[in-house]
Amino acid sequence: MKKIKTYEHKKILVLGLAKSGVSAATLLHKLGAFVTVNDYKPLHENPEAQGLLQKGIKVICGEHPIELLEEGFQIIVKNPGIPYSNPMIKRAVEKGIPIITEVELAYQVSEANIIGITGTNGKTTTTTLIGEMLKKGSKNPLIAGNIGTVASEVAQDATPENNMVIELSSFQLMGINEFRPHIAILTNLYDAHLDYHGTREEYAFAKANITKNQSEDDYLIVNADQPHLMSLIKASKAQKIYFSTKNVLKNGVYIENDEVKYMGENIISIKDIVLPGAHNLENILSAIAASKLSGVSNEAIREVLSTFQGVKHRTQFVKSYRGRKFYNDSKATNTLATKSALSAFEHPIILLAGGLDRGNDFNDLIPYLHNVKAIITFGETSGKLMETAQKAGINTIKPVDNVESAVPVAFELSNEGDIILLSPACASWDQYRTFEERGDIFIEAVHKL
């Protein structure tokens, strides 16, 4: 870890805890900052805050008092989930206090090259694939992001011999100043998180931040099948490497005659890739590009792609039982992800869907429901999904209380050869703390059968 002096003796407010806030506060304390932590959860219900208090860090819990900003803070480290419409953040902007997220801290202390991955869908799978390829190629990867580890925590152990592979959300990328990945990936861009960003343009701008500090010595890997991405990254100074599942490219990764090729070189035959779903080909192509740029051999890449079956909660195969195959796609928190999951299967599907109501309808799912013989709905959007299923001509529609009760109902409605797929098309927060918790409950219910 770099022993930077940037924050020494500076007053810094860490706003919001969870894993990222705890990591940021602990790191800043190590770096000699005068840290104050402010979290909405009361102290007696907040073990994270209690732990920081024991380390000698000032903690204010139970409210977000705007008058706290009068204490002369020089920087705010914001939990990515707190929107810029939050009164504390709006007031901080008015006062001209710089606001960053913990990935900025990670970059500043990391001694390793950074590979950053962002996009609407495919981030976690791509991040995991790159990690596996680098590991197989003896490139010492350290993985961070929504897959369980916080970047500013991982960065403290990073050495020049490592490669840090970081999954990056638009929320995180809005809070960077210097952050500069040596290799950046933009998997794709669709409408998402508009309740947070307000407009599609703001969301796209946040994603494009991944390349704003890159130089001619860096690389930007981009989905060439999306023209709007091409215009979005036009100003990037990085060397651009493109990937496409539709067209042959002179400079990039593509598919030709059922062979995946990198710069014209055969990497692997499509038939030897075990990860299901056409949507995963995009993730695979971008991961190949990043791994090749990092010096990983074709043999190591092939070995990973011929064995890698997917990431937990992302079209994850759970088990076969009495001729039915169960898949956990709890990470499908929007309709785009559910479309991808539905497109991955040819057999009849029993779909389990529902969750937090963000005000959208589900009519864009209708063309993808032709394979769905029954749908089981739950959560706040249960009624909306039932209406969509009726419009799609699905005869068997069953509302249930939750994911756990949906599994035995799905089994009763299924036949041998059917796919039973949890792909909610919604966030989990109406009933579950995280999509991981929702997926784990699904897996447990399957095993109870």
Side-chain angles (χ1 to χ4, degrees):
M1 178 178 101
K2 295 176 185 173
K3 301 294 185 182
I4 61 172
K5 302 290 186 180
T6 311
Y7 301 104
E8 195 169 27
H9 303 142
K10 287 191 176 176
K11 288 193 70 174
I12 300 178
L13 175 64
V14 175
L15 191 61
L17 276 178
K19 289 180 182 178
S20 67
V22 171
S23 176
T26 304
L27 174 56
L28 288 163
H29 186 60
K30 281 184 190 176
L31 294 172
F34 301 124
V35 182
T36 298
V37 171
N38 179 216
D39 193 60
Y40 195 75
K41 190 188 292 185
L43 184 62
H44 68 276
E45 299 175 8
N46 202 327
E48 294 92 349
Q50 292 169 22
L52 293 174
L53 204 56
Q54 289 172 3
K55 293 179 181 178
I57 296 172
K58 183 179 177 181
V59 173
I60 297 170
C61 288
E63 60 176 337
H64 289 310
I66 290 183
E67 59 271 19
L68 184 61
L69 296 178
E70 304 305 319
E71 292 191 10
F73 293 109
Q74 292 157 285
I75 298 170
I76 292 176
V77 181
K78 180 183 76 69
N79 183 291
I82 298 174
Y84 284 80
S85 58
N86 177 282
M88 285 276 282
I89 297 300
K90 288 173 75 172
R91 180 65 181 138
V93 171
E94 289 169 6
K95 289 176 68 68
I97 304 172
I99 299 167
I100 62 172
T101 55
E102 60 88 26
V103 293
E104 179 76 0
L105 299 176
Y107 171 74
Q108 291 171 339
V109 302
S110 173
E111 295 183 32
N113 269 339
I114 291 176
I115 301 173
I117 300 97
T118 197
T120 304
N121 286 324
K123 296 185 295 296
T124 301
T125 298
T126 303
T127 301
T128 307
L129 271 170
I130 293 169
E132 291 298 314
M133 290 174 183
L134 293 180
K135 191 187 301 178
K136 190 62 68 176
S138 302
K139 299 298 178 183
N140 305 313
L142 298 172
I143 313 300
N146 289 339
I147 48 182
T149 49
V150 178
S152 57
E153 183 179 330
V154 173
Q156 296 177 52
D157 297 321
T159 71
E161 286 71 45
N162 294 119
N163 287 276
M164 262 193 80
V165 188
I166 309 177
E167 176 185 359
L168 296 160
S169 71
S170 57
F171 306 162
Q172 291 170 312
L173 288 168
M174 284 187 77
I176 62 169
N177 293 326
E178 301 172 7
F179 181 85
R180 174 188 163 194
H182 178 53
I183 299 173
I185 297 176
L186 257 170
T187 58
N188 47 53
L189 189 67
Y190 301 96
D191 287 353
H193 302 302
L194 299 190
D195 54 337
Y196 183 102
H197 291 284
T199 65
R200 189 181 197 278
E201 291 71 26
E202 188 68 33
Y203 174 59
F205 175 77
K207 290 294 190 186
N209 270 352
I210 195 171
T211 189
K212 76 173 184 177
N213 296 318
Q214 286 190 297
S215 74
E216 294 85 352
D217 297 326
D218 301 316
Y219 297 92
L220 175 61
I221 299 166
V222 187
N223 189 339
D225 296 333
Q226 293 199 323
H228 54 282
L229 273 186
M230 298 296 99
S231 58
L232 185 66
I233 54 90
K234 193 177 291 183
S236 171
K237 295 176 182 176
Q239 300 176 55
K240 298 175 182 68
I241 307 292
Y242 299 106
F243 66 90
S244 173
T245 61
K246 299 174 182 176
N247 301 301
V248 172
L249 304 173
K250 288 182 180 178
N251 177 33
V253 200
Y254 56 92
I255 299 164
E256 186 178 32
N257 299 324
D258 291 330
E259 290 282 336
V260 176
K261 298 188 176 186
Y262 174 80
M263 306 293 186
E265 177 186 11
N266 282 1
I267 303 296
I268 189 170
S269 175
I270 291 290
K271 65 178 175 57
D272 294 328
I273 297 172
V274 298
L275 186 62
H279 63 291
N280 274 319
L281 279 176
E282 289 187 351
N283 306 328
I284 287 165
L285 297 185
S286 61
I288 287 172
S291 299
K292 290 290 287 182
L293 290 170
S294 302
V296 177
S297 69
N298 292 350
E299 183 182 5
I301 292 170
R302 279 194 293 271
E303 191 169 342
V304 170
L305 292 177
S306 60
T307 56
F308 182 80
Q309 294 185 332
V311 180
K312 191 175 183 182
H313 307 299
R314 286 113 179 132
T315 326
Q316 171 201 4
F317 175 66
V318 178
K319 71 178 296 182
S320 290
Y321 178 63
R322 295 192 180 178
R324 289 85 162 160
K325 289 185 176 178
F326 292 81
Y327 285 86
N328 165 30
D329 191 41
S330 184
K331 179 62 172 66
T333 57
N334 55 47
T335 56
L336 178 66
T338 295
K339 290 176 193 176
S340 296
L342 292 168
S343 300
F345 302 103
E346 296 179 358
H347 290 85
I349 295 169
I350 312 289
L351 176 64
L352 284 60
L356 183 73
D357 191 347
R358 282 179 158 153
N360 59 295
D361 62 39
F362 297 91
N363 291 337
D364 56 331
L365 281 179
I366 291 173
Y368 296 83
L369 296 174
H370 58 90
N371 241 16
V372 175
K373 59 185 280 189
I375 184 167
I376 302 168
T377 65
F378 46 83
E380 290 179 357
T381 56
S382 180
K384 286 185 176 181
L385 282 159
M386 291 172 70
E387 290 176 15
T388 299
Q390 288 167 350
K391 291 177 187 175
I394 298 171
N395 293 322
T396 306
I397 303 167
K398 300 282 186 183
V400 296
D401 290 337
N402 50 43
V403 168
E404 185 176 16
S405 56
V407 171
V409 174
F411 180 72
E412 289 301 319
L413 294 175
S414 66
N415 297 309
E416 284 192 28
D418 287 352
I419 302 294
I420 296 177
L421 171 67
L422 170 68
S423 190
C426 303
S428 60
W429 303 321
D430 59 333
Q431 293 183 305
Y432 306 99
R433 289 175 298 172
T434 62
F435 70 82
E436 292 97 338
E437 180 183 27
R438 178 171 64 186
D440 287 339
I441 287 171
F442 172 76
I443 292 169
E444 187 179 342
V446 170
H447 288 300
K448 280 182 182 176
L449 288 175

